[in-house]
Each structure stands twice: as C-alpha cells, then as structure tokens.
Amino acid sequence: MDIVRRTRSERVKAAARGLGFDAVGIAAAGPADPDERFARWLEAGYAAGMAYMARTADARRDPRRLVPGARSVVVVAQSYFHPDARPAPPLRISRYCQGDDYHRLLKKRVRRLRRALLDIEPTAGAAPTVDTSPVLERYWAHRAGIAWTGKSTMAISRRLGTYTFLGCVITTLDLEPDSPHRDYCGSCTRCLDACPTDAFVAPRTVDARRCITYWNVEHRAPYPPQAPDLHGWVAGCDVCQEVCPWNKFARPTVEPRWQPRRGLDQPSPEVWTDPARDDELTDIVKGTALQRTGSPHLRRSARRILGLDDR
Ligand code: B12
Ligand code: SF4
Ligand code: SF4
C-alpha cells in the first residue's frame, strides 16, 4: 500500500513539474489553523474591509469543508520574478501585477494538474484553488514543505525567494505527505523594519488596515482619512520583499506572459491621473490582475500620490 501511495505521489509531482510549476509538495489534509492564528487575525480586525475572509472562515480553517473526505493538499508555486520589472517613482507598480493576470494563467495550469490527478484515480474528488478560493495557501505551502512563512508573512523558498504565486489541489486521494519546511528567517528583521506604514503588528502578522496593498488594490472607494500614505505605490507594494535577502536567489520566471507590459513598467502620470484618458488606462490594465481593481480606483491612487484630489 505504501508503495502504491508513494508511486501515486511521485506521479502527481512529475505531472506538476511537467506543467511548468517551479515547486510542488504534498500535505495531509486536516485543520489549517491549529494554533488559531487566522481566527485571532480575524478577531483583531486585521482583515480590514475584506469581509469575505470572515464569511468563508470555516472553509479556510479546514479544506475538508471544501472537498468532503479530502486526504491531501497538493501545493504548487510558480516564480513571477522578472529582472526587468523594477518599480520606480513617481508611480510604482508591484511586480506581481506588471504582466498578464496570474489568476487566469495559474488557474488553467492548476486545473490541468487536477486532471492529471484524476487520470491516476478517476473516482477521486479534487478541487483546484488559486488565491480567491477559501484556502490558507501559505499555511499549506509551509506544511507541504515548499516554503516557510517569513516574518513578512510571505511564503519563502530558498530556491525561488518570495516572488511566487501559490495554488493548490485539494483531493480525496491519499498521497504521501512531505515534511513541513524549516524556518530560515533567523535573527533578520529587515522586512519588519522597512515596511513604510508599520503594517506588521508582530512578526508574521500583517494588519491589512495599514498595508498599502490593501488600500490600493482591495479598497474600492475614495480614501478615508485613516488611509496611510501610499509612498508612491499605485498598485500593490513590494517593500517587504525588496529587502528580503532570500530574493538574491530569486529565479527569473520562464513565463513570457509575466514579462512587464508597456505602460505598467513605467506608468505615465498623465495617463494615470486624467479622467479624460480613461480609455487608455483601461486598455493598459486589461487582462492584468489590476483589471479587477478598475481604472477609476487606480486613478484615485495615482492622484493621491501626486498630490491631486483622490476621487
Ligand atoms: C487576504 C490576502 C492579502 C491581504 C492580507 C495579507 C496577509 N498577510 O494576511 C493583503 C491585501 C494585505 C495582501 C497583500 C499581499 N498579497 Co495577498 N493574499 C491574501 C489571501 C487572499 C489570503 C491571505 C490570508 O489568509 N491572510 C490571513 C493571514 C492570517 O494568513 P497568512 O498570511 O496566509 O498566514 C497563515 C500561515 O502562513 C500561517 N503562519 C503564520 N505564521 C506562522 C508561523 C508558523 C511557525 C507556522 C507554522 C505558520 C504560520 O498562519 C497563517 C494563518 O493560518 C491570499 C490567497 C490565499 N487564498 O491564501 C493572498 C496571497 C497571500 N497574497 C499574495 C501576494 C503575492 C501578496 C502581495 C505580495 C502582493 C503585493 N506585492 O502587493 C502582498 C504582500 C503583503 C504581505 N506582507 O502579506 C500571494 C503570496 C505568495 C507568497 N509567496 O507568499 C497569495 C498566496 C496569493 C497567491 N495565490 O499567490 N494579501
Ligand atoms: S506590502 Fe508594503 S505596506 Fe504591506 S506589509 Fe509589505 S511593506 Fe508593508
Ligand atoms: S526580510 Fe528577513 S525576516 Fe523578513 S521574511 Fe525575509 S528573511 Fe525573514
């Protein structure tokens, strides 16, 4: 039985590598919040206006709610690091959203991995997840041995750094789990010290109410008085990753669609602030992860950064 289990796991991992994932690991499905970190995070109000986090808390805390009878979580990571994506003033755009929308691309690939898994066992239950599904992906990356949770809360791989996207297949298939990843942050505190808005209330805990990414990507309304300075970031923020020493080893992505797009690598202040040029801005962000934030809200942030009104 153990040999069958091992062979199956090896086949799943080989399929993931064949699909182009940079890392793959397996964890045994079970409670995802054993020390109640997530529950306490929600209770403290650190989810800010992301009400969906609380609404879907039960599923996030146990993937067996999503896939009844789940035995395993297959976790994959893919590097999006591109050496030409260098966020620069006056309007900085985070690396993760300078290329094509990762949701679409990764979802397609994670769905293929699910199909490969069903080829091994056609009667298995299996659900693909990328970002928007109610799954604590970083927790599973740690459990599946492909990353540890850094003090920045980023899932860090020694081989890939932090500029990776994660995805999972939650399945009823009984697979051989890997060992959880060791922590390699040591005494480093660079990310905690560098965060421009003091969003880390403790190592490994971000208060989204202070995180720039929350405000410029997730908050889709005019900025209230308590919103922080955006420090030049018009979409996302990479500061806690830029300072992380493990990114010296970041492996450039092999995905051509994550190459920085023109208009996103060095955003034009004129196009990004002028409502009369909305068509141009809409076109620039079409098909990127920023399409969901929408041009009016991106313009609101650009105007705030450049000292214009932020409506
Ligand atoms: C909500 C959310 C946000 C929020 C809140 C972020 C946060 N730190 O919680 C905001 C909008 C601020 C945000 C920002 C960003 N996000 Co985001 N986000 C999410 C989302 C949808 C849920 C995260 C969540 O559940 N947070 C709640 C906290 C409590 O959980 P957590 O940070 O995941 O930590 C868990 C474990 O790591 C573990 N844990 C923590 N400490 C320890 C310690 C030990 C010892 C152990 C064992 C476990 C452990 O416990 C926690 C709860 O169980 C995930 C996708 C997903 N479905 O998971 C993407 C996700 C985390 N985001 C991602 C990205 C890329 C970003 C940004 C880098 C984007 C950018 N450049 O601007 C920033 C990074 C900011 C930061 N330092 O976190 C990637 C991260 C990839 C990676 N390599 O880590 C994810 C996984 C999306 C994806 N599929 O790729 N994000
Ligand atoms: S993304 Fe920026 S604002 Fe958010 S925790 Fe990291 S450094 Fe701080
Ligand atoms: S900057 Fe240092 S403390 Fe922060 S995640 Fe990277 S290694 Fe860990």
Side-chain angles (χ1 to χ4, degrees):
M1 179 56 193
D2 264 2
I3 291 176
V4 175
R5 204 172 170 229
R6 186 164 308 157
T7 315
R8 259 196 215 144
S9 309
E10 276 161 13
R11 282 179 67 188
V12 170
K13 287 181 178 176
R17 289 189 201 102
L19 286 166
F21 290 112
D22 294 314
V24 54
I26 295 170
D33 195 23
D35 48 10
E36 308 223 310
R37 279 173 178 276
F38 176 64
R40 280 185 273 125
W41 184 80
L42 277 180
E43 213 170 277
Y46 296 154
M50 297 179 287
Y52 59 88
M53 295 295 290
R55 268 201 309 272
T56 54
D58 288 348
R60 284 180 201 269
R61 298 184 70 204
D62 194 332
R64 293 171 299 187
R65 295 249 180 181
L66 216 58
V67 177
R71 305 281 298 274
S72 313
V73 182
V74 182
V75 190
V76 288
Q78 182 128 30
S79 166
Y80 64 87
F81 177 72
H82 200 290
D84 296 342
R86 291 197 198 92
L91 298 177
R92 295 175 212 257
I93 297 200
S94 168
R95 286 171 173 82
Y96 87 97
C97 46
Q98 289 195 20
D100 283 3
D101 189 349
Y102 72 95
H103 295 95
R104 269 198 237 167
L105 225 142
L106 215 64
K107 253 182 210 159
K108 210 182 268 177
R109 211 161 276 172
V110 176
R111 278 195 206 112
R112 285 197 194 125
L113 179 59
R114 172 186 175 268
R115 274 201 297 275
L117 208 134
L118 295 182
D119 284 345
I120 296 168
E121 178 48 67
T123 60
T129 83
V130 176
D131 188 48
T132 50
S133 304
V135 176
L136 284 168
E137 293 174 333
R138 286 162 161 173
Y139 173 81
W140 289 109
H142 159 77
R143 284 289 307 277
I146 65 171
W148 77 95
T149 300
K151 290 178 193 169
S152 61
T153 75
M154 295 305 297
I156 310 177
S157 152
R158 287 208 290 175
R159 202 163 44 85
L160 304 168
T162 68
Y163 295 112
T164 56
F165 296 126
L166 302 176
C168 301
V169 180
I170 299 163
T171 176
T172 57
L173 208 58
D174 185 20
L175 298 170
E176 188 168 79
D178 292 291
S179 306
H181 206 294
R182 252 191 70 188
D183 187 309
Y184 287 96
C185 279
S187 58
C188 176
T189 56
R190 287 195 201 180
C191 51
L192 311 180
D193 302 337
C195 174
T197 52
D198 280 333
F200 295 106
V201 288
R204 301 183 178 82
T205 306
V206 167
D207 179 350
R209 293 172 300 189
R210 296 197 209 156
C211 177
I212 291 171
T213 302
Y214 166 72
W215 287 103
N216 63 17
V217 172
E218 296 290 329
H219 175 76
R220 294 167 200 172
Y223 283 106
Q226 72 271 23
D229 188 326
L230 298 176
H231 294 268
W233 291 95
V234 71
C237 165
D238 283 344
V239 174
C240 53
Q241 300 188 82
E242 283 175 341
V243 298
C244 183
W246 291 101
N247 281 329
K248 279 191 214 121
F249 310 109
R251 178 189 290 193
T253 182
V254 292
E255 181 50 67
R257 282 167 289 187
W258 288 337
Q259 190 171 317
R261 284 191 182 194
R262 278 194 62 206
L264 282 175
D265 50 352
Q266 283 173 348
S268 143
E270 292 74 28
V271 175
W272 282 66
T273 54
D274 187 353
R277 299 181 76 170
D278 188 60
D279 286 354
E280 283 172 74
L281 182 54
T282 304
D283 220 43
I284 288 169
V285 300
K286 197 170 169 201
T288 75
L290 295 179
Q291 188 173 340
R292 284 197 284 182
T293 304
S295 59
H297 299 127
L298 294 167
R299 189 162 47 247
R300 159 209 69 167
S301 300
R303 292 181 69 85
R304 180 177 174 85
I305 290 165
L306 296 170
L308 308 166
D309 70 275
D310 59 22
R311 277 165 294 144

